[in-house]
Structure formats: structure tokens, C-alpha cells
Amino acid sequence: MSEGPFKTLIGELTPPMRLMMTPGPSSIDPRVYRALAAPVVGHLDPWFKTCMDETQILMRQVFQTENRVTMPLSASGSGGIEAAVLNTLEEGDEAIVCVNGWFSERMYEIALRSPAKITKLEVPYGRAVDPQDVRKAGAGKKIKIVGLAHGETSSGVVTALDPFRKVADELGALLIVDTVASLAAEPLNVDKQRLDIVFSGSQKALSAPPGRSPITVSPRTEEVLRNRKKKVQSWYFDLTTAMNYWGKDRLYHHTPPISLIYALREAMRLTMEEGLQVRWERHRVNQQALIAGVEAMGLELLVKNPKERLVTVTPVMIPASIDDAQFRNQLLDEFNIEIAGGIGPLKAKIWRLGLMGYCAQKANVLLLLAAMEKVLVDQGARIQAGAGVGAAIRSYAGAEAAVATKA
Amino acid sequence: MSEGPFKTLIGELTPPMRLMMTPGPSSIDPRVYRALAAPVVGHLDPWFKTCMDETQILMRQVFQTENRVTMPLSASGSGGIEAAVLNTLEEGDEAIVCVNGWFSERMYEIALRSPAKITKLEVPYGRAVDPQDVRKAGAGKKIKIVGLAHGETSSGVVTALDPFRKVADELGALLIVDTVASLAAEPLNVDKQRLDIVFSGSQKALSAPPGRSPITVSPRTEEVLRNRKKKVQSWYFDLTTAMNYWGKDRLYHHTPPISLIYALREAMRLTMEEGLQVRWERHRVNQQALIAGVEAMGLELLVKNPKERLVTVTPVMIPASIDDAQFRNQLLDEFNIEIAGGIGPLKAKIWRLGLMGYCAQKANVLLLLAAMEKVLVDQGARIQAGAGVGAAIRSYAGAEAAVATKA
């Protein structure tokens, strides 16, 4: 057999060193890279079973839950959506999905592939759905699940969960929450807030590599899953069988990405060493400085209501005089900084500035603002010299003064 | 908020250094670990798009195909099964699944979750299905797919594919082939053998970390997928949308595990640097030595027909006097060597000795045989001293002599 036509030489892997001020993947702590490259063992190795236990303990800490079913799915955050929706919905069920962006729209699309009847409640990107609309839409119906995104990555909106819990209780519905963009950055307490299925992604504010979707399932949801009439339409995302492996029996289901579990475990160790409250506050303080900086440069925020601003993703409107692609390419080429553009209806209308986990640092915020000023000025924008960086520094100083006063 | 009840200290990650003579995950070349820990970039980074191109070029080389749709799924090998089966099957379709072990049984189970009518053709673990039985089962029916495992990981059986291609042609059916345990170890040429969907796993004979399922789809299968009446019941595994990202448009689908793509790319570079034929032969020669060794120690093979012995997994019968768990635990504790037990009906009946990719080395075979002798003797077996190692050395010498004669 000749390998002739297939013989193309592919060179050494030499990725550039980017600073990822994006809505994920975020830059990664060196300790997590070290864990990632640790020796792989077998998925049924007794040592690995302990490693799985520890990963689950850490995950319960991060989610703030005692849910038995708490594990990382072998998938991206979108796999978490698929698992949450397809495990709960069956023929004859009804569901309400709140859509305020690309990823909550995805939850709706995935729900449409189930045999259930799905109602979509939609608001424009940049706003949060009103829980009263869920109440109205569900009135007099038997709603099995209400689904929404805690943090909408596409629009930078955070939705307050408690009012949705209240409405879901009235409707007798399970509450399914996408925390891909919010976990470990926005305040969240799965048990106190009585959330039924909560899933996330490894590559956002946890700052692990992409490829894992942490998920947690309340005991009463477990009961619902046990009482299904038919098997889940996806074998891969069937939570009951996946839990046989992650549960106390450690029964083989599929071979999980050992290396990514190492990395996620280390990222969660870093998260809990810092402490959740400290981490939430760090994100808040850094975003305040970033907002002060971009506003001082004359940029406008997409999300008008300060209470609805997701701490990890700050979307700013692209000024009319600036070319989206040219701006982002120059940031990448000249500074090795990646930011994200808009998606869906916001394509070419916004930039999304990410502050996730390891990336949410003073030095990164100041560098990003400085680099943005340079590129904006190169493209003809008029900005008072140093305005963005200066405003951010004053914001940090204010935050430090507030801490000093409290102490 | 108190973190009190959740505060359990989890220590540093310190995995043991195992030699993984298992049916996967296999031990990993240091170059692959280095690639794994390279800096993560964004999934839409222009540099990463080139990295994806290169990954796909290498994958086509490994599969020996020019199929446009050739990419790594963000899942384990079982995700490959799910994608292959759920993308092809719709309401009203009929399928035949050949079952001769745990993983071909899994293909059958996943197919049952589709709305199609599924016929299962089953033979005992340790044998291959007879293609004539497929011909009989399909006679007079409109069969959409015939599915089988090229290498059955659970039973160590390799199935010759060409007769199945012939029968599938007669039936007008697509041929779906699980090469999780065989790719890059057993001879395979997707284009010449005209296989329709072929999928594999990253952690077997490619010796990358687990978590990726390389898959390739023939042009005529693409056509079948385009003509589906309904959307695929899984969004995550919908090949048409996944290909928008891996296709020339690079449209965002989900965030793939960047680090695992780096590692898989490097593992495939190593594979192609070695050359497929050389690699297939290396596996063959090492398995011959391993077989000579275990037989010299008085152990019996599960697969009686030498032509049906899968080169990567050699199942040996556990002698009546030896305790399965005790044997494997001692190998692990005393030598840091992992081998696998049996699964399904073969549980506690066989050991599965793996020779996959980076693990398929002379030094490992000799060490494994030496360690097995030590543990068997400790557990009371009577073995002529050094019989296994001695027989393996003679097998290697014979193989070298044959090469010398040819040259």
C-alpha cells in the first residue's frame, strides 16, 4: 500500500501565547497546565477512583450543593444543555424555555429535538426575561421544566434566579439553569436556591481547559428521571447510566478524558483555595474597573441595567467609525490579546470583553484597556490619552478604599 | 454565606506512574504530553483554524481517506457510536447490528434508542459474526445500515471487513464500522474498503489521552444525512452542524477541547512519522511475542482462530487456581502495571492484555511477561522459570530473522 497521496508533512505544534480576554476559553493558571500533563492512569484504577471522589467533592463545593448526582460530563457546556433537557423531557411533557441570547436559544433548539411541547419566551439580546411572563405562559398548564441561562454568554446578561424559582414552584416545574458563563464568578448556591439541574463549562470562570461540563441534579429530579417511561433518547448523555460510573459503584460507562479531569480538579482546588466569596468579589471589582475604563474611552455598554450585567462578559458597542474585524485582528497581532465579537443578531455590533477566572486580574484589565486605546487611536478614534487606564486605576483605588474602611 | 459544611481539603494531584498494558487508555509518548500542555488558544483563533486543518489532514492519513467529513468528535469512542447510529437512522428505517462483544452490543443498544427497526445478529464473545448471516437477515428487506466492530475491545476479536462490504452492497446498505480498538494498529483503508462511517477513539492505538472520537463519513453518506426528513435526535452529535465548524466555514458549534486536539494532532504526527504499515507490523510482531510468552507459561487464549485475533487486545483465560482481583492488584501494586479484566459475560474469566500504540514495545512485553510470571508463581502456579520471557525473546528473534532474510 502506498501512502503517497496522503503524505503531507505537518510540523511541530507551536501555538501563540494569547491573553484570552474572551467569554471562554479563558487563560489558564500554570498549576492547571501542570495537572493537565500529569501521567494518565486507567479509568478504573483504584487511585483514579479516589481522584474522581475528590473531583466530585470539589464540584459540590463550587456548586454549593450536597446533591449526590454531581459530576463532570465528558462534553462541552452544550453537552450540559443536552443532558439537562433530554433527560427530563418525554412525550406528553411541556416545557418553557426563556431565551435572551444565543445559548438560551440553543436550549430551546435542543428541547425541540425532544418529543415534548416547548414554549419559548423571548426578549431581545441584552435584557433578561421577566419571570412574570413565565407565570403567564405556564398558567393552567402542567409544566415539567422551566429552563434559562443564569449568565448569557452571548449578550453579557445575568438573570436573578430566585424569582424564577418562585414561579417554577407555583407551576410545579423543575428549574434548569445554565451556569456555563457564571459558575465561580457570580454568586450561586444550588442548594439554598433550590435549583434542580445546574450545569456549567470547564473553560469559563473555572479556567480549566474546555471539554468538561460540570452538572448537578437535585434529589427530586433524580426521582423524576427514575420514573421516566422511556429511555433517554441519547445514550451518551443518559444521566442515570453515567451516574453508575460516577456513583459509588464506579461501573464502567465510557472512558472519560482523564487528563481533563486532572485539570478541572486542579482548577477547582484553586477556586476553593481562593474561596467563592473572594472570587465573586474579585470578578466584580475587575469588571467595575473595566467598565469605568471603556466608558472613559467613550464606548457604550450593551447592557443598560447595571443589575443585569454579567460579571464575566462585558459587551461594548462597536463605534460606527471602527471596523470590527480590523480592530480584533490588530489586538491579536500586535498584543496577542483575544477578545470576542458578537454572535447571532449582535454580530459586528458588539465586542465581548471577557473576565473569567484566572483572566480576571488587575494587570490584564489595565493591559486590555491600554491595548484597546492604542488600536482605537490607530483607527482614527479620538480618545483622551490614557483615559481608559486612568479611570480603571481610580476604580481599583476606590474599591481598595472601601475594603480598608470596612476593615 | 458560610462555606463551612463544604470545606474539605483536597490535596495535590499525584497520580502513580502506571504502565498501561490495557485495552485503553494506553500509555502516552512524552511528545504527546508536551503537546497536551501547550498554551490554550481560542477556538476561533486564526492560528487554531490552521491547527484544525492540520489535524484533519493527519486524520485523513490515518484513516486512509479523502472524505471531506473527517474530524474528531468531542466525546469518547462511545460518542462515535452514537453519532454514527443516530445520524443515519430515522423512523421507518431498518438496521442490522452485528454483536460479538460489549461494544458492538452498545451499538445495538444505542440503535434501539432511535426510531428505526433494529435486527441484532449475535455470536458468543470470542468469535466474529458470519457475513452470510447478515445476507440472510437482510434478504428481501430494505436495510439502511449494517453496523459492526472491526476490533471488539471486550473479546479481542478482529473482523475482516471486506465480506461485510460485499453483503452491505448487495443489501444497498451503508456500512458503519467501529475501529475504536483497531485504528492505527490493524490494516485499514477507509477509501479502498469503501467504508461509509468509521469512528475510533483517541486513547487506544493512537495513544493520545481519552476524550476524542475521530470519525470519517463517505460522500454518499453525507448525501443520506442531507436527505433526512427530521433533525437528528441529538444536537450535540448532529454531524451536519458539527461539520459547519470543522468544514471550511469554521462556523462556531461548540467549544472543542483545544488541549485534546493538540495532543491528538501530535499522536497522529507520531503515527504518520512511523508510517502506517510499519506501525501495523510493530503491533503484529509484539503480539506474536506476547502470545508466545503467555502460551509458554501455560495460559490459554480466548480467541481460538489466529486470524480473528485482534492485534491490540489479547484475552487470556484466567487459570482456575488464580484469583482475578488478587492477580491484577498485585501487578498494579508491585509493578505499577495495569491490565484489564473481562467485562460482561467474560467478567472474572479472562484478562485482557493490551498492546496499543506507544505501549506496543518489546521492553513492555518482556516486562509484562516477567511480572506475570512473578505474580502467578506467588499465587501458587507452576511455571518453568523464565518460560514466558524466553519464548517471547525467541519470537522476536524469529521476526528479526524473517526481516533480515527479506532484506
Side-chain angles (χ1 to χ4, degrees), chain B residues 48-339:
Chain B
F48 188 64
K49 290 176 186 178
T50 304
C51 177
M52 290 166 69
D53 288 338
E54 294 170 344
T55 303
Q56 290 177 286
I57 289 170
L58 286 162
M59 201 168 287
R60 289 192 188 98
Q61 291 174 1
V62 172
F63 274 128
Q64 297 280 291
T65 185
E66 296 185 18
N67 286 343
R68 185 185 77 89
V69 179
T70 303
M71 61 186 172
L73 295 173
S74 298
S76 77
S78 300
I81 306 180
E82 183 142 322
V85 167
L86 297 189
N87 277 271
T88 45
L89 294 181
E90 287 195 270
E91 188 122 30
D93 289 338
E94 284 200 46
I96 296 175
V97 180
C98 305
V99 174
N100 67 331
W102 187 262
F103 293 94
S104 38
E105 175 78 33
R106 174 164 296 179
M107 189 188 282
Y108 170 68
E109 280 169 21
I110 293 175
L112 284 183
R113 300 196 185 205
S114 83
K117 191 183 160 194
I118 318 296
T119 300
K120 170 164 141 177
L121 289 182
E122 199 170 12
V123 295
Y125 283 34
R127 289 176 41 204
V129 170
D130 185 341
Q132 300 311 323
D133 291 339
V134 176
R135 178 174 283 130
K136 280 179 218 154
K141 292 180 187 159
K142 198 171 169 233
I143 302 296
K144 190 157 186 197
I145 65 169
V146 172
L148 80 161
H150 183 213
E152 232 313 333
T153 321
S154 65
S155 60
V157 171
V158 65
T159 296
L161 297 175
D162 294 343
F164 285 88
R165 173 70 279 171
K166 194 157 175 288
V167 171
D169 279 343
E170 289 170 25
L171 299 175
L174 300 173
L175 190 60
I176 293 187
V177 182
D178 175 341
T179 66
V180 170
S182 60
L183 185 69
E186 287 282 355
L188 180 82
N189 187 312
V190 167
D191 280 2
K192 279 197 191 152
Q193 297 182 278
R194 297 187 302 107
L195 311 175
D196 290 302
I197 301 187
V198 182
F199 56 86
S200 189
S202 49
Q203 80 281 16
K204 308 275 182 173
L206 288 170
S207 289
R212 307 259 74 202
S213 177
I215 192 166
T216 187
V217 175
S218 71
R220 69 170 179 168
T221 307
E222 269 195 80
E223 193 60 30
V224 170
L225 302 191
R226 263 194 295 273
N227 293 331
R228 282 183 64 98
K229 292 177 224 83
K230 278 183 70 176
K231 282 189 178 168
V232 181
Q233 69 199 61
S234 164
W235 177 91
Y236 193 78
F237 290 111
D238 188 331
L239 288 172
T240 39
T241 45
M243 261 316 287
N244 290 336
Y245 176 56
W246 283 93
K248 70 175 177 9
D249 295 338
R250 295 276 181 258
L251 292 180
Y252 173 64
H253 182 252
H254 68 271
T255 308
I258 314 283
S259 311
L260 295 185
I261 292 171
Y262 289 173
L264 177 60
R265 178 186 178 283
E266 190 67 15
M268 292 192 300
R269 276 183 82 216
L270 282 160
T271 301
M272 296 314 297
E273 283 173 18
E274 179 176 17
L276 287 176
Q277 285 172 301
V278 175
R279 196 176 180 91
W280 299 337
E281 179 64 11
R282 170 163 64 83
H283 279 86
R284 196 192 63 78
V285 167
N286 280 291
Q287 191 194 31
Q288 287 309 308
L290 179 64
I291 288 174
V294 293
E295 287 188 332
M297 289 195 289
L299 296 167
E300 200 184 320
L301 299 182
L302 172 73
V303 181
K304 305 305 171 199
N305 182 349
K307 284 189 181 160
E308 291 183 350
R309 286 178 189 155
L310 176 62
V311 79
T312 48
V313 184
T314 306
V316 299
M317 309 302 295
I318 302 176
S321 62
I322 305 294
D323 180 80
D324 177 19
Q326 201 183 329
F327 178 84
R328 288 191 286 131
N329 288 341
Q330 192 181 339
L331 265 186
L332 201 65
D333 295 340
E334 190 172 339
F335 293 98
N336 261 319
I337 295 176
E338 187 184 348
I339 63 166

Side-chain angles (χ1 to χ4, degrees), chain B residues 15-36:
Chain B
M17 190 67 201
R18 307 292 197 199
L19 176 61
M20 304 219 284
M21 307 300 279
T22 70
S26 52
S27 293
I28 292 172
D29 189 292
R31 263 178 58 182
V32 175
Y33 278 120
R34 191 156 56 109
L36 179 65

Side-chain angles (χ1 to χ4, degrees), chain A residues 116 298 378 380 393:
Chain A
D378 280 357
I393 289 171

Side-chain angles (χ1 to χ4, degrees), chain A residues 5 11 13 19 38 42 84 88 95 103 106 120 143 181 184 206 245 255-256 302 312 319 333 338 344 350:
Chain A
L13 184 83
L19 176 61
T88 45
F103 293 93
R106 173 164 297 177
K120 169 165 139 175
I143 302 297
L206 287 171
Y245 177 55
T255 308
L302 172 73
T312 49
D333 295 340
E338 188 183 350
I350 59 166

